[in-house]
Amino acid sequence: MKRFLCEKTDDEVRKAILDAAEKRFKQYGFKKTAMSELAEDVGMSTSNLYRYFSSKLDIAEAFALRCFAEKEIGLQLLLEKPLDSAVDSLVVYAKGLLQYNFDQLYVYPAINDMIMALCEASSEMVDKKREGELSILKVILKKGQEEKCWEIDDLDETGLAIMASWVMFSTPTFMRHQTLEQLEKRLSNLLNLIITGLKVRE
Amino acid sequence: MKRFLCEKTDDEVRKAILDAAEKRFKQYGFKKTAMSELAEDVGMSTSNLYRYFSSKLDIAEAFALRCFAEKEIGLQLLLEKPLDSAVDSLVVYAKGLLQYNFDQLYVYPAINDMIMALCEASSEMVDKKREGELSILKVILKKGQEEKCWEIDDLDETGLAIMASWVMFSTPTFMRHQTLEQLEKRLSNLLNLIITGLKVRE
DNA sequence: CCACTGAATATAAAATAATATATTCATAGT
DNA sequence: ACTATGAATATATTATTTTATATTCAGTGG
């Protein structure tokens, strides 16, 4: 026996495993998908999975990274329309993020389980998620600076403050209690506030 | 047998039950305090508790209302110093709220259980909590309006937007991952943002 | 009639036993 | 030497029983 199923490369095998994992994780969550099921899905023994991923958590993390990448690609696409001012970009980004989070929650029955499992087991993934979203936000903030329409002392701190203010719009517990319309309205008001500020303008 | 323990009024008995409940709820949480324990604490039979509260949840709600009142009194006290501008008031309020939430989390081992139980069982209490905090915030916002230093279209919507942005600073899950200093720094940046706004000022 | 209790019940929690699963490893085929 | 497997094990999940608890109510003493 030289190679798994018709001479696939390691990366191809890893991808096959991840594809199977993605389906099961999204539908059944972390705890309720078994390594043996993934093995069966890709047609190998359970023990052989460990030649491609060091653990179940390792698979989950790879799955999360794939989700993050997909999400970021989708959001970048929304932001590429060149007509947007920095204000428009910020609004598009914030609303896109909300829409994405909301959709995931309702399209994939077990995505919440998955998030909980990953948050508990891997603070690294929590950091990666924040860093990914923050880096896009910082591009928008910088654009605002360059357009001379925003005044920002510290891009990082401001970005983190904004992300902190968005927690309600990315946390399943809070999203579950409101409709998308309600969330969008609230986010819209918050964005206006962040952009304009409370202080009167002369 | 005419009256419970030396002719107490209904309100006094209710208070005695609530005092016992407060101690146990704070230390052991909702699920791990038993009606029979409360009954023993106040020296009556379990069944007699039901003459004063309709259910265990009813006791927990009364406890929550007491906590809310205590918290609001403490915050009002912080805000009473007359020297504060609206900006100062907002900062004092936000930081006071954070400090209060953070303290509770570390002083009372079971407060998180208690919060979770109440949030799950009684959306009414969740609303009451928000309404209480919102009403104080609105007083501050109105003060800023009157001082002509803030421009606010809709007090309610603006208040709700600000409250939404503070979710990270009042949710145990998020607070647990950061020190008070980190949280204060982040909140401080957010408050600056909300007050000043991103837009350049001429 | 009123304030209260103890037994009764239906439900929820804890403890336990039974099962399934993640991970390892010695071994086999190529 | 490389790829893969099945059996072994320790851990985690599920199913089951047992126990505790919330709530009700008929009844007791004043």
Side-chain angles (χ1 to χ4, degrees):
Chain A
M1 232 173 281
K2 259 295 175 220
R3 258 285 163 201
F4 170 73
L5 278 177
C6 2
E7 309 284 322
K8 281 186 182 167
T9 68
D10 272 23
D11 276 353
E12 285 169 339
V13 177
R14 280 177 62 94
K15 186 180 171 310
I17 295 169
L18 264 181
D19 288 342
E22 177 164 359
K23 279 184 196 151
R24 290 196 181 267
F25 281 155
K26 281 178 170 173
Q27 185 156 22
Y28 307 111
F30 182 75
K31 282 189 299 189
K32 296 213 170 175
T33 89
M35 291 295 267
S36 59
E37 293 171 326
L38 298 181
E40 187 153 14
D41 288 348
V42 298
M44 63 167 62
S45 67
T46 305
S47 52
N48 204 34
L49 282 178
Y50 288 84
R51 298 179 29 74
Y52 299 96
F53 291 96
S54 70
S55 69
K56 192 180 177 185
L57 183 61
D58 193 27
I59 301 180
E61 288 177 341
F63 161 72
L65 287 180
R66 179 191 272 200
C67 289
F68 297 165
E70 201 181 303
K71 176 190 68 182
E72 281 166 30
I73 287 170
L75 290 167
Q76 293 284 11
L77 226 82
L78 280 179
L79 291 170
E80 258 164 24
K81 294 170 194 157
L83 40 126
D84 292 326
S85 69
V87 169
D88 290 337
S89 294
L90 185 63
V91 172
V92 164
Y93 182 50
K95 295 212 166 173
L97 215 45
L98 168 58
Q99 182 106 39
Y100 175 84
N101 287 328
F102 196 88
D103 283 355
Q104 295 289 309
L105 209 58
Y106 286 91
V107 172
Y108 301 113
I111 203 76
N112 192 33
D113 272 23
M114 208 57 218
I115 293 170
M116 302 248 293
L118 276 165
C119 285
E120 194 163 350
S122 170
S123 62
E124 202 188 323
M125 282 300 115
V126 177
D127 294 345
K128 282 233 171 82
K129 178 181 188 296
R130 193 188 44 245
E131 288 309 314
E133 294 179 358
L134 179 61
S135 76
I136 297 179
L137 178 56
K138 277 164 67 182
V139 170
I140 297 170
L141 294 179
K142 197 172 285 174
K143 184 170 137 194
Q145 268 182 330
E146 282 158 7
E147 287 174 2
K148 309 271 185 211
C149 71
W150 290 346
E151 194 179 339
I152 299 164
D153 256 15
D154 183 326
L155 270 183
D156 246 295
E157 290 298 328
T158 305
L160 284 169
I162 293 175
M163 300 276 304
S165 78
W166 289 352
V167 160
M168 182 175 155
F169 307 99
S170 64
T171 307
T173 317
F174 295 101
M175 290 195 283
R176 283 254 163 73
H177 291 286
Q178 284 166 280
T179 65
L180 182 58
E181 285 68 37
Q182 289 175 310
L183 287 165
E184 278 177 338
K185 179 127 196 283
R186 195 115 319 148
L187 178 58
S188 181
N189 286 328
L190 176 57
L191 291 173
N192 283 335
L193 194 58
I194 285 173
I195 292 163
T196 312
L198 289 168
K199 266 197 206 155
V200 292
R201 292 177 175 273
E202 317 290 329
Chain B
M1 235 174 282
K2 257 301 174 213
R3 258 283 163 204
F4 170 72
L5 279 177
C6 1
E7 307 285 324
K8 282 185 182 169
T9 67
D10 271 21
D11 275 353
E12 285 169 338
V13 177
R14 279 176 63 93
K15 185 181 172 308
I17 295 169
L18 262 183
D19 288 341
E22 178 165 358
K23 278 183 197 152
R24 290 195 180 268
F25 282 155
K26 281 179 170 173
Q27 185 156 22
Y28 307 111
F30 182 75
K31 282 188 299 187
K32 295 216 170 173
T33 89
M35 291 296 267
S36 59
E37 293 170 327
L38 298 182
E40 185 153 15
D41 288 348
V42 298
M44 62 168 60
S45 68
T46 305
S47 52
N48 204 35
L49 282 177
Y50 288 83
R51 298 180 28 76
Y52 298 95
F53 291 95
S54 71
S55 69
K56 191 180 175 184
L57 183 61
D58 193 27
I59 301 181
E61 288 178 342
F63 161 72
L65 287 180
R66 179 192 272 200
C67 289
F68 296 167
E70 202 180 304
K71 175 192 67 182
E72 280 166 30
I73 287 169
L75 289 169
Q76 293 283 11
L77 226 81
L78 281 180
L79 292 170
E80 258 166 24
K81 295 171 194 157
L83 39 127
D84 293 326
S85 69
V87 169
D88 291 335
S89 293
L90 185 63
V91 172
V92 164
Y93 182 50
K95 295 213 167 173
L97 214 47
L98 169 57
Q99 183 105 40
Y100 175 85
N101 288 328
F102 196 88
D103 283 354
Q104 296 287 310
L105 209 58
Y106 286 91
V107 173
Y108 300 114
I111 203 78
N112 192 35
D113 271 24
M114 208 58 218
I115 293 170
M116 301 248 294
L118 276 164
C119 285
E120 193 163 351
S122 169
S123 63
E124 202 189 321
M125 282 299 116
V126 177
D127 293 345
K128 281 231 171 84
K129 178 181 189 295
R130 192 187 45 245
E131 287 310 314
E133 294 179 358
L134 180 60
S135 76
I136 298 180
L137 178 57
K138 276 164 67 181
V139 171
I140 297 170
L141 294 179
K142 197 172 284 173
K143 185 170 136 194
Q145 269 182 329
E146 283 159 7
E147 287 175 3
K148 311 270 186 210
C149 70
W150 291 347
E151 195 179 340
I152 300 163
D153 256 16
D154 183 325
L155 271 184
D156 246 296
E157 290 298 329
T158 304
L160 285 170
I162 293 176
M163 301 275 305
S165 78
W166 289 353
V167 160
M168 183 175 153
F169 308 99
S170 65
T171 308
T173 316
F174 295 102
M175 290 195 283
R176 283 254 163 72
H177 290 288
Q178 283 167 280
T179 66
L180 181 57
E181 285 67 37
Q182 290 175 311
L183 287 164
E184 278 177 337
K185 177 126 199 281
R186 197 118 313 151
L187 178 57
S188 181
N189 286 329
L190 177 56
L191 292 173
N192 283 335
L193 193 59
I194 286 173
I195 292 164
T196 311
L198 288 168
K199 265 198 208 156
V200 293
R201 291 176 176 275
E202 319 290 328

